[in-house]
Amino acid sequence: MSLDVYLAERRALVDKALDDALPETDGHTGELRRAMRYSIFAGGKRVRPILAMAAAEAVGATGESVLPLAVALECVHTYSLIHDDLPAMDNDDMRRGKPALHRAFSEATAILAGDALLTVAFEHLTSPHAQRIYPANRILEALSELALAAGSERLIAGQFMDVTLEGKTVDIQTVDAIVSGKTAALIAASLTCGARLAEGSREEIAVLGAFGADLGRTFQIRDDLLDLEGDPRKLGKAVNKDGSRGKATYPNLIGVEQSKVMMKDLVESAIQAIEPLGDKGLPLKAIARYVAERVQ
Ligand code: GRG
């Protein structure tokens, strides 16, 4: 099966699960729900949900079996993008080719829609349906891992450093810390939580975590390079923003060519990490190559 077909099939399942999880509502909260759906259905690639599904497949389950987690991951990710775009943070007007949520609705609505999506993620992962289909200890482990990845030591720590170190001179260890928090933590948790809910072994979860850490950094380097060399129409957002803001990124610190070398090494390291999974890891290897070459 081609990677395009593999991704499209899973994306369709994730979109349907998101639609079921966040139905339109009337009354008081209709506008809030419309705002949540506006960002959720704005055309994201669904990378994290697909990684969770591929991890489940890599440990012998179906991708569909982890759809509640896939929904939770996309909700956490989308909340982080909504808040990142706010005037108090990156102050971006466009996201996924459309006006950012605070532009299309209001700032207050964007803050609350982001908060609501973060909370929905945990509601969904602990719902009666999830409790029926997963062993309780696996839900608890996945919850704990997702909360840590999204929390003040990882995703929020990375974002805090990214925002507060803007315009400052930083070293490579600091860029590593920013990237491992704001990007790699949720990507690695997508894989390990997927494997946990699919009842993967301790060893399988460990190799998927190592793969995720490398893939997360690959993802961020590609994102930084796209900011420098990408097509704004394909990206659906403005480019050349990191340099003008003095963001702590790999290309700003070590240059474009060195960043490309680093990305290539990370992809090889990621692929190497999941050798023990054999053929079941093949889709993940294809995804790793795709992440390093993506144009959006
Ligand atoms: C506000 C707590 C908080 C965190 C924000 C997501 C984020 C952290 C910042 C956005 C800026 C950025 C470059 C983050 C790194 C992660 C990243 C590359 C996000 C974009 O993810 P994609 O490409 O987006 O998967 P789509 O739109 O396809 O879902």
Side-chain angles (χ1 to χ4, degrees):
M1 188 197 297
S2 81
L3 183 64
D4 283 349
V5 173
Y6 180 92
L7 296 175
E9 281 181 4
R10 278 146 197 80
R11 218 169 265 143
L13 289 168
V14 172
D15 284 354
K16 165 84 174 65
L18 283 163
D19 195 31
D20 292 343
L22 296 167
E24 285 175 33
T25 51
D26 294 325
H28 271 7
T29 54
E31 178 81 346
L32 177 65
R33 184 56 64 85
R34 271 190 293 285
M36 294 159 77
R37 288 178 60 92
Y38 174 88
S39 289
I40 284 282
F41 294 109
K45 296 183 288 297
R46 313 301 193 209
V47 168
R48 295 147 194 84
I50 293 172
L51 287 173
M53 295 171 84
E57 292 162 15
V59 302
T62 63
E64 274 176 281
S65 70
V66 294
L67 278 173
L69 170 67
V71 166
L73 290 164
E74 193 64 11
C75 287
V76 173
H77 167 61
T78 303
Y79 125 78
S80 77
L81 297 180
I82 293 170
H83 282 195
D84 182 63
D85 290 338
L86 288 168
M89 296 221 204
D90 268 8
N91 192 19
D92 278 312
D93 289 341
M94 298 293 286
R95 167 71 64 184
R96 294 169 166 172
K98 297 168 70 170
L101 187 61
H102 65 275
R103 284 290 190 178
F105 287 71
S106 72
E107 230 177 289
T109 304
I111 292 169
L112 291 170
D115 292 342
L117 284 170
L118 176 61
T119 316
V120 161
F122 292 97
E123 283 171 28
H124 209 68
L125 210 48
T126 51
S127 68
H129 171 67
Q131 292 181 44
R132 267 195 308 278
I133 62 175
Y134 306 123
N137 67 320
R138 295 289 177 153
I139 297 184
L140 205 54
E141 286 171 15
L143 261 182
S144 162
E145 205 155 61
L146 181 58
L148 282 174
S152 62
E153 290 299 314
R154 307 304 310 273
L155 175 66
I156 295 175
Q159 176 73 355
F160 182 74
M161 291 170 77
D162 182 88
V163 169
T164 53
L165 293 175
E166 230 177 71
K168 306 225 164 78
T169 307
V170 295
D171 56 17
I172 190 94
Q173 286 79 13
T174 307
V175 178
D176 283 342
I178 293 174
V179 171
S180 97
K182 85 166 181 180
T183 312
L186 193 57
I187 286 184
S190 304
L191 290 144
T192 52
C193 291
R196 281 187 196 284
L197 291 180
E199 301 193 54
S201 69
R202 199 182 291 268
E203 293 74 26
E204 287 169 328
I205 294 166
V207 300
L208 286 163
F211 172 86
D214 287 337
L215 184 72
R217 286 174 73 203
T218 305
F219 196 90
Q220 185 59 57
I221 298 175
R222 188 69 197 142
D223 205 67
D224 295 341
L225 291 169
L226 285 170
D227 183 66
L228 288 169
E229 301 177 339
D231 177 347
R233 279 165 308 178
K234 287 196 179 126
L235 290 169
K237 60 180 183 182
V239 292
N240 285 319
K241 297 196 77 176
D242 294 342
S244 58
R245 281 182 181 153
K247 284 271 187 200
T249 68
Y250 288 112
N252 285 347
L253 195 65
I254 61 174
V256 167
E257 288 318 310
Q258 241 351 81
S259 299
K260 286 183 180 169
V261 172
M262 191 175 180
M263 191 169 66
K264 201 162 158 273
D265 291 346
L266 283 165
V267 172
E268 287 316 311
S269 166
I271 288 174
Q272 198 59 40
I274 50 169
E275 275 310 323
L277 299 177
D279 283 357
K280 292 201 300 304
L282 287 177
L284 286 171
K285 292 182 181 175
I287 291 172
R289 293 191 192 95
Y290 153 81
V291 162
E293 287 159 15
R294 68 195 173 92
V295 292
Q296 64 178 114

